[in-house]
Amino acid sequence: MRKPPPFDSQYEAAGGLAERIAADGAYCVACIRAFNGDEVRLADEIFLEQNGRFQAHIADNAALDALLAELVFSLDRMTAEVSADLDRFRGLTLREKMAGWTSRQRMWRMYTERVREAPVIERLLDLLAKSDALARLIASQRSSIVECHKAAERGLVDIVEQRRRLVDSIDIARLKMKELNAKALITQGRIGVYGNRAHWEQMEAERRALKAEAERISAEEHEMRDDSQRRERFIGLFQAFVDSLNGRIAACNVLLRKLMIDVEERLIIYQAQVDTDRPGMKMRIKPELFPDIAPPIRLFEKGMLVAQDLERRKSRADLECAGRFPTYGVPPETSGAPLIDTARRSFRFSLSFLRP
């Protein structure tokens, strides 16, 4: 199996793509704001140009969402690796067992020191730093998309309203045409039946005037119908753009929710790995150091993170992500697995946050 790209290179690629998408999104919003359905001669050329740009932008949006999802799940995989490495520390070394022959207390003190001095701590801190950077990128994307969505939707509503008024005008024109043609037909039926020749010539003139007015309105109706069809094409394009933005907001919400729950998991593993009562251990994780993942860190500071509750919420977040990103569906045999495999721990070693 091909090894996935490193997190840092993927994060850099996502940042570059996000910048390009922001510029293209501004172009799309400007097109909607500047839309003028009266540009008949260039309408086809304008539509072809804008359609290409809009469709490329929508495709880039989907690509960025997939890349952000890959980043979120790559951190999840790295967390699982850290948890697996923790499992390997649970057994006693030969040196610790030998110390236990003379002093059980010394044996467990040596074991605890070895676990606490493991490089897992630095890996967890690195995961938290990466989580903070990724949360910042996703949150900034969401904020930018929301503003873009508001502007585009306002412009689209105006265009749709203009077309609605145009359709009303078309309906009125058709009613007038029908009325004029009926009057002309009635006038034609009276010629040669009522009055004298001069009267007939007058009625013929009236009939011709009615037909001429009907033909004039028919020509206007035809132009309005063509205009309506042109507007409808652009409305379909602009609506697809707005829908894609709406979908991206939902995707960012899903990814941020999962990322924050995954951060809680990393904090719980950190809490299990170190003695947070020791001076300086809690100071390494503060909201000021990781501002974009501050909410779960505040819970960590207050001791309000519970592994059992987290497992349920994490499972739900994974399922929600799988619904939006099927590539990352949770395999049945792994869903619901505990954060740390307690079945293989030493009978003397117990993580405080996993005790009943």
Side-chain angles (χ1 to χ4, degrees):
M1 180 182 293
R2 185 173 62 87
K3 187 177 180 180
F7 177 90
D8 292 339
S9 61
Q10 282 190 311
Y11 180 84
E12 185 178 348
L17 184 56
E19 290 180 5
R20 192 176 82 210
I21 283 176
D24 290 343
Y27 164 83
C28 293
V29 172
C31 288
I32 295 175
R33 284 176 170 172
F35 175 75
N36 183 356
D38 296 330
E39 298 172 347
V40 178
R41 289 185 305 165
L42 300 176
D44 290 339
E45 292 85 348
I46 292 174
F47 179 80
L48 288 174
E49 176 190 348
Q50 292 186 1
N51 184 59
R53 293 283 297 271
F54 274 65
Q55 296 300 336
H57 179 68
I58 292 172
D60 285 343
N61 282 340
L64 180 56
D65 286 346
L67 191 51
L68 293 175
E70 172 59 31
L71 287 168
V72 170
F73 279 89
S74 68
L75 291 180
D76 202 7
R77 288 192 295 269
M78 285 189 269
T79 303
E81 292 171 2
V82 170
S83 182
D85 287 346
L86 273 176
D87 287 340
R88 287 192 282 273
F89 281 104
R90 292 197 179 121
L92 295 171
T93 64
L94 178 60
R95 183 166 171 268
E96 290 161 352
K97 290 178 180 178
M98 291 176 64
W101 294 344
T102 56
S103 170
R104 304 285 290 181
Q105 184 178 8
R106 182 167 179 265
M107 177 186 74
W108 290 114
R109 186 171 61 250
M110 292 173 61
Y111 170 82
T112 302
E113 288 298 321
R114 176 172 61 87
V115 171
R116 287 174 179 167
E117 295 303 322
V120 172
I121 298 299
E122 298 304 324
R123 289 168 63 188
L124 285 171
L125 291 173
D126 181 61
L127 279 175
L128 291 174
K130 286 179 167 62
S131 301
D132 187 64
L134 183 54
R136 181 164 53 253
L137 176 59
I138 297 175
S140 66
Q141 272 292 291
R142 187 188 183 283
S143 177
S144 174
I145 297 164
V146 167
E147 291 303 315
C148 188
H149 180 271
K150 288 179 180 178
E153 192 171 47
R154 281 196 300 266
L156 179 59
V157 167
D158 291 341
I159 296 170
V160 170
E161 180 59 24
Q162 291 169 8
R163 182 175 179 272
R164 188 192 65 77
R165 291 196 296 266
L166 185 59
V167 170
D168 290 342
S169 298
I170 291 172
D171 291 338
I172 292 171
R174 287 173 177 171
L175 289 174
K176 286 183 178 179
M177 286 165 49
K178 185 177 180 180
E179 181 182 350
L180 290 169
N181 285 326
K183 287 182 178 181
L185 188 60
I186 292 172
T187 303
Q188 181 179 355
R190 290 177 176 176
I191 298 174
V193 177
Y194 301 100
N196 52 31
R197 186 176 185 83
H199 194 199
W200 297 343
E201 289 176 355
Q202 181 183 353
M203 285 191 292
E204 176 62 19
E206 290 176 2
R207 186 194 68 81
R208 289 178 180 176
L210 290 169
K211 291 296 292 184
E213 180 66 9
E215 289 173 1
R216 184 188 68 79
I217 294 177
S218 176
E220 290 180 356
E221 186 270 344
H222 184 74
E223 290 180 2
M224 288 190 292
R225 186 156 28 93
D226 288 345
D227 189 13
S228 176
Q229 291 173 352
R230 283 192 296 271
R231 290 174 184 270
E232 187 175 14
R233 280 203 306 171
F234 281 96
I235 287 172
L237 177 61
F238 298 158
Q239 184 65 61
F241 171 68
V242 171
D243 289 344
S244 73
L245 293 178
N246 195 49
R248 288 212 64 209
I249 293 171
C252 287
N253 290 340
V254 168
L255 292 175
L256 275 175
R257 194 152 43 241
K258 172 171 171 54
L259 181 58
M260 290 302 172
I261 290 174
D262 289 348
V263 168
E264 290 185 33
E265 177 185 10
R266 286 153 208 157
L267 291 170
I268 285 177
I269 295 175
Y270 180 86
Q271 184 173 282
Q273 174 73 0
V274 303
D275 181 2
T276 52
D277 293 330
R278 288 171 60 190
M281 295 311 293
K282 267 197 172 181
M283 296 298 292
R284 302 183 73 179
I285 300 180
K286 298 171 60 179
E288 295 81 8
L289 299 176
F290 306 99
D292 293 281
I293 54 173
I297 291 178
R298 292 192 184 98
L299 293 176
F300 166 76
E301 287 183 324
K302 297 175 182 177
M304 296 175 63
L305 296 180
V306 180
Q308 287 76 10
D309 174 65
L310 177 63
E311 289 177 17
R312 175 182 55 80
R313 290 188 292 114
K314 180 177 173 62
S315 177
R316 189 168 59 208
D318 287 343
L319 289 174
E320 191 176 15
C321 276
R324 186 159 288 275
F325 303 98
T327 305
Y328 303 100
V330 183
E333 63 272 14
T334 61
S335 69
L339 300 180
I340 297 178
D341 184 6
T342 57
R344 292 188 295 162
R345 65 185 177 190
S346 168
F347 71 97
R348 286 293 306 274
F349 179 64
S350 177
L351 298 179
S352 59
F353 70 97
L354 288 176
R355 291 173 183 167

